[in-house]
Amino acid sequence: MTISVVLFTSDLRLHDHPPLRAALDGSDAVVPLFVRDEAVVEAGFTVPNRMAFLADCLADLDAGLRERGGRLVVRSGDVVAEVAKTVAEADADEVHMAAGVSAFAHRREERLRAALEAEGCRLHVHETVITALAPGAVTPASSDHFAVFTPYHRQWARQPLRDAVAAPRAVRVPEAVGSEEIPSRSEVSGVSPGLATGGETEARKRVTAWLRDGIGAYEDRHDDLPGDATSRLSPHLHFGTLSPVELVHRAAAAGGPGAEAFVRQLAWRDFHHQVLAARPDASGADYRSQHDRWRSAAEARDDIEAWREGRTGYPVVDAAMRQLRHEGWMHNRGRLLTASFLAKTLYVDWRVGARHFLDLLVDGDVANNQLNWQWMAGTGTDSRPNRVLNPVTQAKKYDPDGAYVRRWVPELTGLGGRAVHEPWKLRGLDRAAFDYPDPIVDLSEGLARFRKARGRD
């Protein structure tokens, strides 16, 4: 009997899963394996929100496998050692897994390949599992990757995608291979109270509802802060409970300007993955340095803390930061506003903000988080590195009646209409009626400081 191991990483689903399909087609039985990697723990990425969502995903994956006669095998420790042990226990001939893009993923693959080859076991790494296109699928003539999104998207949109593969009807798992208990969300402390539910079952329900009720208006409403008109699929894409290939196909089938705008966002995701694959050090270093001399941690300590707590005195910034803490997720327009405010108005190193986001975001991954932060800080792929988003102007445009602010900043509930975006303009007893701080920085002063630091004054 031939046996294969399928190593699940950021692809916790059964629908459109090429490694699982290849293993099932080529073997009599498979071992679906997930390793709680100690290296991820040591790197500080096992934060409560993602661990709780992961527990949901693993439980749902196990349930889906059991419906098909199988089960999920969970191990903890060094991923290479645990895969090798599983291969030995199952007497497996092959291991299948999805390709990653980070330096960590590349090192894991190299170590795993070397260890397995020494034991006579083959490793098969599959592209287009975590991204719609492989990172190197399209490249410009003069470089190994695209550094600007628009030409990348032009080429990306011309590429044919592989067909989505069906979920298996049956999965046979050798009985001799043991497993740890499937983790539970209830075991995780410090989880954001409004954290969404994880797992492929929930993901597919959300996609169906989104394609039916939401995608048609996406082009017009994706920046609507109070309307909450985005798909909220980013956590499921991060954990791989949804296939980006299948999602592009289904969105394209829906058709229309909203679907086109949504697919463009999926292309942005692929764009960031191909940048990181080509420049792994961009996870922590400036992609395009502006030679910034950021304010020191000691100098900016109070400002950083106010930003983290949602007490900057700028209501839309504070609303977004509080949404992040409550839900482990933030509206994309809020992400742009809060990043611009920290990196440019407060002139604080973007890595401070990126780390805070990774501590809380359920969809926080290295490619999208770090490169979006750099884009907003002007040290990444943005062609306008010195643009600064004015939080008041942006709030009036994307939260015109103040509903988003009042939802997350209840101290200002009694302040109606657009006035909620500028509470500091109140005077006397009217101002004293609201227990809300004054702005920690004047916007004009912050802009002047930033322009001087960048040599633009």
Side-chain angles (χ1 to χ4, degrees), residues 78-414:
D78 174 71
V79 66
V80 174
E82 294 304 321
V83 171
K85 288 179 186 177
T86 305
V87 165
E89 289 178 26
D91 194 20
D93 307 295
E94 298 179 338
V95 173
H96 294 261
M97 68 180 295
V101 302
S102 67
F104 174 83
H106 291 157
R107 288 193 300 269
R108 177 181 60 195
E109 180 185 324
E110 291 169 2
R111 291 177 57 226
L112 192 54
R113 188 180 302 279
L116 293 175
E117 286 181 353
E119 299 299 325
C121 183
R122 295 179 297 277
L123 176 66
H124 300 277
V125 179
H126 299 259
E127 299 281 5
T128 65
V129 181
I130 294 171
T131 55
L133 285 186
V138 291
T139 56
S142 58
S143 177
D144 59 353
H145 73 290
F146 280 94
V148 178
F149 174 71
T150 299
Y152 172 79
H153 179 244
R154 192 177 301 121
Q155 293 292 327
W156 184 94
R158 294 172 182 164
Q159 303 304 308
L161 297 186
R162 64 169 177 80
D163 292 334
V165 298
R169 294 184 177 182
V171 179
R172 181 182 178 189
V173 179
E175 294 182 4
V177 180
S179 173
E180 299 172 6
E181 295 257 342
I182 304 296
S184 169
R185 175 187 284 230
S186 63
E187 300 168 357
V188 185
S189 60
V191 177
S192 291
L195 185 71
T197 301
E200 184 179 17
T201 300
E202 178 65 23
R204 298 189 74 79
K205 288 179 181 176
R206 184 170 287 278
V207 167
T208 298
W210 166 247
L211 293 174
R212 182 186 64 237
D213 302 326
I215 199 169
Y218 182 73
E219 183 183 39
D220 297 327
R221 299 190 61 207
H222 68 274
D223 278 322
D224 179 359
L225 281 166
D228 196 14
T230 63
S231 71
R232 286 187 175 249
L233 296 176
S234 55
H236 294 288
L237 285 164
H238 173 61
F239 283 91
T241 54
L242 285 176
S243 157
V245 170
E246 182 186 6
L247 199 51
V248 172
H249 281 308
R250 293 182 68 179
E260 292 174 5
F262 178 65
V263 170
R264 183 180 175 89
Q265 293 305 309
L266 296 174
W268 263 108
R269 182 174 180 272
D270 275 13
F271 172 73
H272 285 145
H273 278 77
Q274 61 95 38
V275 171
L276 188 64
R279 299 290 182 271
D281 62 344
S283 63
D286 289 332
Y287 181 79
R288 291 190 178 117
S289 175
Q290 302 296 329
H291 307 290
D292 287 293
R293 294 187 296 275
W294 306 104
R295 296 168 67 200
S296 68
E299 178 187 3
R301 181 182 58 207
D302 291 345
D303 287 350
I304 293 169
E305 192 60 25
W307 177 81
R308 285 174 175 157
E309 292 180 354
R311 298 282 292 173
T312 67
Y314 289 96
V316 74
V317 172
D318 295 342
M321 294 304 293
R322 295 185 194 188
Q323 180 183 26
L324 171 62
R325 187 166 295 279
H326 182 81
E327 295 187 349
W329 185 88
M330 187 193 294
H331 192 289
N332 185 61
R333 177 53 53 175
R335 299 188 197 205
L336 297 177
L337 288 171
T338 56
S340 174
F341 188 81
L342 183 75
K344 290 177 173 173
T345 302
L346 296 181
Y347 200 54
V348 170
D349 192 330
W350 64 267
R351 282 157 281 240
V352 173
R355 179 68 259 178
H356 182 70
F357 271 32
L358 282 178
D359 285 344
L360 290 172
L361 279 175
V362 65
D363 61 16
D365 66 35
V366 173
N368 293 302
N369 187 66
Q370 307 303 85
L371 290 171
N372 272 319
W373 263 97
Q374 288 202 53
W375 191 89
M376 204 61 252
T379 66
T381 62
D382 187 6
S383 59
R384 293 171 54 196
N386 297 308
R387 80 174 88 198
V388 178
L389 299 183
N390 182 307
V392 177
T393 302
Q394 292 271 308
K396 290 178 178 179
K397 181 176 183 179
Y398 298 115
D399 185 25
D401 296 322
Y404 179 74
V405 163
R406 280 185 289 273
R407 182 184 308 159
W408 294 108
V409 187
E411 306 97 295
L412 299 177
T413 299

